[in-house]
Every structure is written in C-alpha cells, then in structure tokens.
Amino acid sequence: MSSLENLRARLAPTGTLRAGLNRSNFLLVAKDSPDDAPRGVAVDMAREIARRAELPVMFVCYESPGKMADAIKTGAWDIAFFAVEPARAGEIDFTTAYVEIEATYLVPAGSPLKTLADVDRPGVRISVSGRSAYDLYLTRNLKHAELLRADGIDASYERFVAEKLDALAGLRPKLVDEVAKLPGAKILEGRFTAIQQAIGVPKGKTGVAQWLQQFVDEVKASGFVAELIERHGARGLTVAPKS
C-alpha cells in the first residue's frame, strides 16, 4: 500500500472525505448556499484537501459549532472547520489557524460602556451565541459580567434587542451589519479575542493531523487562502499569522 493510500484509509475510511461545516459562520460558508452545494472559504479548503488526497468529498452541515462538535461522538465527519478551542481539544486535534476573525462588543445608544474593559463589570448583561468560540472564550475569562446565551448568532442579536441587554458579543463583520439597524448603537474599539479558525480531526488518526498541518502551512504561504478570501468577498477574514 502506498503512502497516499495509507493516508486516504486513515483520513477517510468510508472512501469519501466527509467535511463538517458550521453554517452559522457566514464568513466561511455562504449563508444563502444550500446544504447540498455549499460555497465559501471553508468549502474550497475542503475541496482542495480532497483533491490532494485524491478523494471525493461530501459536506456535512451543522447549524452551530456546538452541534458539529457533538457529532464527533457518532463519527459523522472526517474533518471539520472549527475555531480552535481548548474546550474541544480533548476529542479533536486542531491544525494551527488558517484565518482569524476579530470578536468584540456592540453596545446600544447611550451606553455607559466605552471600552472593552468597561464590559466586565457587575450587573452588565451580555448576549452571546451559545457554544460559539467567543462564548467559550468569555466563559473562561469574564469575572463579573453575566453571559446570556441564545441559540445562534441571529438569536443572540434578537435577544440583545428584545431584552434591552447591555452588550452583544460577536464577530466584528457581523456586528458591522447589526449596528446599522440600531440608531446610536456603536461597536467598541479593539477586540476581546481573535477567533482562530482551523481544521479539526478526531483524535487517534495517526499521521492525519500532521498531514493537515502541512497543508495549512502550504496554503497560507502560497497565497491560496488569501485568494479564497478575495474570491468569496469574505470581509473581516484575515490570513492567520505564521505560527
């Protein structure tokens, strides 16, 4: 058996590369694309992996990163496009990031919250998309503010507005869209974190994580990732710095 055949057997034991996609991340998977024909940066990354491994590819779509993470227990995907998160590292091996996305806060008109540091105070209520990478980050790092979780990015915005919460946590490109709907609202300067988007593979697949890491290094260095960002008009994505 050749080294490529060996890789294929470990990477995609069914003979088809099953790539998990998080539909809620509109920067990586176009929101208006159907599950059977998705488009976006992550989609083209998966196609390139399959091309190099000489495998057919199919896409397994999820409405949230949490649901995609849960699906590892059923063996539903071979690779998946995730944010790097310590909370998921017990079951998933991650490559280094290929792109990153700033996360920050939107606050309503007249808010006394002027800086990122102002947000982490007693009594401050923050709407957040539950089990998103930035929810997991804030859960670890906030000391005083209260996180109020919603089922998805759109639902977190709706909860922020309906319950007149103090801040909305989110990805900067999405918040830019949301702030336009709210007269007087503003996005706080800076970022509380940069979400590192990587490729995940179930633990225990000998050699696969290393091969995927080499792939990520190559497509960043060659300009392929930058070309995908431009091709899909993914405003707000930046190529992750070299690790």
Side-chain angles (χ1 to χ4, degrees):
M1 183 180 289
S2 70
S3 59
L4 182 58
E5 289 171 331
N6 249 322
L7 171 72
R8 285 200 298 260
R10 296 192 302 272
L11 177 62
T14 65
T16 295
L17 181 65
R18 299 167 301 164
L21 300 175
N22 169 23
R23 299 282 330 222
S24 70
N25 192 329
F26 66 98
L27 293 170
L28 294 177
V29 184
K31 200 165 189 177
D32 62 348
S33 59
D35 281 6
D36 59 352
R39 305 186 314 276
V41 172
V43 176
D44 285 352
M45 288 280 285
R47 292 190 192 280
E48 181 63 12
I49 292 168
R51 185 190 71 79
R52 294 188 183 200
E54 299 180 8
L55 286 164
V57 62
M58 67 173 286
F59 298 102
V60 189
C61 296
Y62 299 90
E63 294 308 312
S64 73
K67 290 176 181 176
M68 189 159 68
D70 290 343
I72 195 172
K73 297 177 175 62
T74 65
W77 48 262
D78 302 308
I79 62 171
F81 292 82
F82 271 113
V84 180
E85 258 304 320
R88 296 172 181 147
E91 297 178 305
I92 300 168
D93 284 326
F94 292 101
T95 66
T96 55
Y98 62 96
V99 294
E100 62 181 22
I101 317 166
E102 286 192 347
T104 186
Y105 300 110
L106 183 155
V107 296
S111 173
L113 306 176
K114 306 299 182 185
T115 69
L116 296 174
D118 290 342
V119 178
D120 193 13
R121 292 179 176 174
V124 173
R125 300 174 303 158
I126 305 168
S127 184
V128 66
S129 176
R131 300 181 71 192
S132 62
Y134 48 92
D135 172 26
L136 298 175
Y137 175 88
L138 292 172
T139 299
R140 291 195 307 273
N141 289 279
L142 289 179
K143 305 300 183 188
H144 306 290
E146 179 185 6
L147 290 171
L148 300 179
R149 296 174 177 86
D151 188 13
I153 292 174
D154 291 340
S156 68
Y157 169 78
E158 291 164 6
R159 184 170 191 181
F160 168 71
V161 173
E163 299 183 24
K164 296 182 169 57
L165 301 182
D166 303 294
L168 170 64
L171 303 176
R172 182 178 292 278
K174 181 64 171 174
L175 296 182
V176 169
D177 292 338
E178 308 294 23
V179 75
K181 307 174 190 174
L182 301 171
K186 68 176 183 178
I187 298 170
L188 298 185
E189 290 186 11
R191 66 190 192 188
F192 58 76
T193 191
I195 305 302
Q196 305 281 307
Q197 294 289 336
I199 304 169
V201 61
K203 280 190 173 297
K205 292 196 170 188
T206 306
V208 172
Q210 293 90 331
W211 184 83
L212 288 170
Q213 181 60 59
Q214 291 174 356
F215 168 79
V216 167
D217 291 340
E218 289 174 13
V219 294
K220 286 199 298 183
S222 69
F224 180 75
V225 176
E227 290 171 10
L228 293 184
I229 292 171
E230 183 175 357
R231 179 190 308 168
H232 292 286
R235 175 178 51 87
L237 281 185
T238 58
V239 179
K242 186 176 181 180
S243 56

